[in-house]
Amino acid sequence: GCGALGGGPGRRRPVCPARGRGARVGGGGGSASRMPSRIRSELGLAYSTGAFWRPGWEQQGLFWGTCGTKNQTAGLALREMLGVLDGFLAQGVAQEEFDQARSRLLNAQVFEVDEASKVLARIADLEWNGYPWSFHEQAAAALRELSAAEVVDACRRHLDTGRLTLFVLGNPVDFDVELGEFGAVEEWDSSAPEVRPVDASGDSEAAARGADLAAHLLSSHGGRAAWEGVGAAGSLLRTEGADPVEALLVYPGRFLARSAADPAQLYSVVTEEAGWSLGSAGMSELSAEQLRGAQLELKAKLPLVLMRLARSEYRAAAAAERTLLLTDEEGDAVTVELHEHGLCRAIVTEAGGRYEFGAYTLTGGVMLPGEVRWSDGGQPASYSFEWSVNPEVRAEWFEFPAGG
């Protein structure tokens, strides 16, 4: 049997090309790190075990841990793996342990440039992904300045062992534990033929690949269960040359924008039935055509797309590699482009407008972008976002103002 732990993405633009610092102490630093020391050396449960954060160049990476053990100790090994991670998060790391892990990382970098082919490949990676050629030197300098407290704080903010996905391969008849102890269990029969969904619209292959992409998208943004629990997303929106704006997106299709300095000052409100905006003449109700346009725009907002996708409100089809076409019951569609690791790169509306996303962070158990770029053929506009999940929502905020 073997066990694996999979977590959500880490920070965009890895600070160091080597693997994650906290993971180096917890499980990725060879036999001296905690997970191999406990599971391999002390308990003899596995020869190969460890934990890593694997970042990407353009996108967040995954935190994952592995352990190869026999079926009869699968449960024990999983408990110990989780125990090592929980212990690290609870106790932190001693300065000596941290210094040793940092030294191993810095000293190992010489082996990344000990051959001409490695130097050439490293430069090609930097150039292809838009990084400065001095990136590795900058990363090493930042690593030397890094403190143990900063590493532990980052791990505590971004690693939640209660939300890991556990993958166990083996014969469950021989397991030493009922896997339900660790959470809800989904069983796969490796001997059974693969069953793919069929899209009634005709292209079953596109539907099958679309279902895979949709699952990958949800998983990378926090998982279906997490987004099923999200009913609203609030944001503080900033852009150059304008005052900050508070915005609120409420499932299935309500929107509110107001002044961040004076929340009583509304800019616009859209509901499923009506909409209104603030103009020079005061509040004015949207026409049927304007309301339809505003509702279509809302359907391209990433948090609402993810809320609806988690609730199975779309027919999914793969439009191209890592490109997903989502169509709702009303026939309205959005195109979602995914990064390699599954986070949303961009959303394209039916009218051709394009949202591009970056600087993702974990907020309220889900991944949301800190940077959004909008373009519709004219001058692109860039925004920064600070998100909140399931903020307060009052019914009266969406009631058309009396006398409006």
Side-chain angles (χ1 to χ4, degrees), residues 84 145 161 180:
V84 168
E145 297 296 322
T161 58

Side-chain angles (χ1 to χ4, degrees), residues 12 235-247 255 257 267 297 301 354-360 368-376 378-387:
R12 186 174 183 264
S235 62
L236 178 62
L237 181 153
R238 293 185 175 91
T239 188
E240 186 176 355
D243 294 331
V245 173
E246 286 185 357
F255 170 78
Y267 296 142
E297 184 179 343
K301 301 295 187 184
R354 179 181 177 87
Y355 293 96
E356 296 181 349
F357 307 102
Y360 278 91
L368 287 167
E371 298 174 358
V372 178
R373 177 182 171 91
W374 161 255
S375 60
D376 59 356
Q379 182 67 28
S382 297
Y383 304 89
S384 66
F385 282 77
E386 296 176 23
W387 292 96

Side-chain angles (χ1 to χ4, degrees), residues 97-393:
E97 186 181 15
F98 174 78
D99 290 340
Q100 290 175 351
R102 176 165 54 189
S103 294
R104 289 195 296 270
L105 269 173
L106 290 170
N107 293 337
Q109 291 183 17
V110 67
F111 299 108
E112 298 177 9
V113 291
D114 59 342
E115 296 177 9
S117 61
K118 293 181 181 179
V119 175
L120 180 60
R122 191 153 97 156
I123 293 174
D125 276 341
L126 294 171
E127 184 68 19
W128 176 262
N129 291 288
Y131 282 65
W133 282 21
S134 61
F135 170 71
H136 293 281
E137 289 75 18
Q138 294 175 23
L143 177 55
R144 293 186 183 96
E145 297 296 322
L146 196 65
S147 71
E150 289 173 320
V151 169
V152 174
D153 178 65
C155 290
R156 287 171 176 164
R157 284 185 285 112
H158 294 287
L159 178 58
D160 180 356
T161 58
R163 297 187 64 251
L164 292 172
T165 297
L166 309 183
F167 177 79
V168 183
L169 175 64
N171 187 349
V173 175
D174 296 330
F175 288 164
D176 59 331
V177 66
E178 290 290 336
L179 293 180
E181 170 186 322
F182 300 99
V185 176
E186 179 182 354
E187 293 186 3
W188 298 348
D189 184 352
S190 60
S191 65
E194 183 178 12
V195 178
R196 288 186 173 271
V198 176
D199 185 357
S201 64
D203 190 344
S204 60
E205 179 60 27
R209 290 187 288 115
D212 290 342
L213 283 173
H216 192 29
L217 178 69
L218 277 176
S219 176
S220 298
H221 282 269
R224 180 180 297 274
W227 279 100
E228 283 179 339
V230 177
S235 62
L236 178 62
L237 181 153
R238 293 185 175 91
T239 188
E240 186 176 355
D243 294 331
V245 173
E246 286 185 357
L248 183 63
L249 293 164
V250 183
Y251 173 83
R254 286 182 287 166
F255 170 78
L256 177 148
R258 60 191 179 188
S259 166
D262 180 12
Q265 182 183 351
L266 290 175
Y267 296 142
S268 61
V269 177
V270 176
T271 73
E272 295 85 342
E273 295 83 22
W276 53 97
S277 62
L278 177 65
S280 58
M283 299 299 295
S284 61
E285 188 171 8
L286 300 183
S287 67
E289 182 179 355
Q290 290 171 329
L291 177 61
R292 172 63 174 160
Q295 290 171 337
L296 285 174
E297 184 179 343
L298 277 185
K299 290 187 176 185
K301 301 295 187 184
L302 178 59
L304 284 176
V305 169
L306 293 168
M307 290 182 215
R308 298 185 67 195
L309 183 61
R311 292 163 173 84
S312 302
E313 296 182 10
Y314 290 112
R315 184 173 66 253
E321 183 180 4
R322 294 203 295 272
T323 301
L324 178 64
L325 179 65
L326 298 174
T327 307
D328 63 19
E329 291 184 353
E330 297 176 340
D332 299 324
V334 294
T335 301
V336 181
E337 299 175 6
L338 281 68
H339 279 286
E340 177 184 356
H341 294 292
L343 285 175
C344 183
R345 180 197 298 271
I347 289 180
V348 182
T349 69
E350 285 190 300
R354 179 181 177 87
Y355 293 96
E356 296 181 349
F357 307 102
Y360 278 91
T361 56
L362 186 65
T363 304
V366 297
M367 295 295 290
L368 287 167
E371 298 174 358
V372 178
R373 177 182 171 91
W374 161 255
S375 60
D376 59 356
Q379 182 67 28
S382 297
Y383 304 89
S384 66
F385 282 77
E386 296 176 23
W387 292 96
S388 60
V389 172
N390 289 329
E392 178 187 22
V393 178

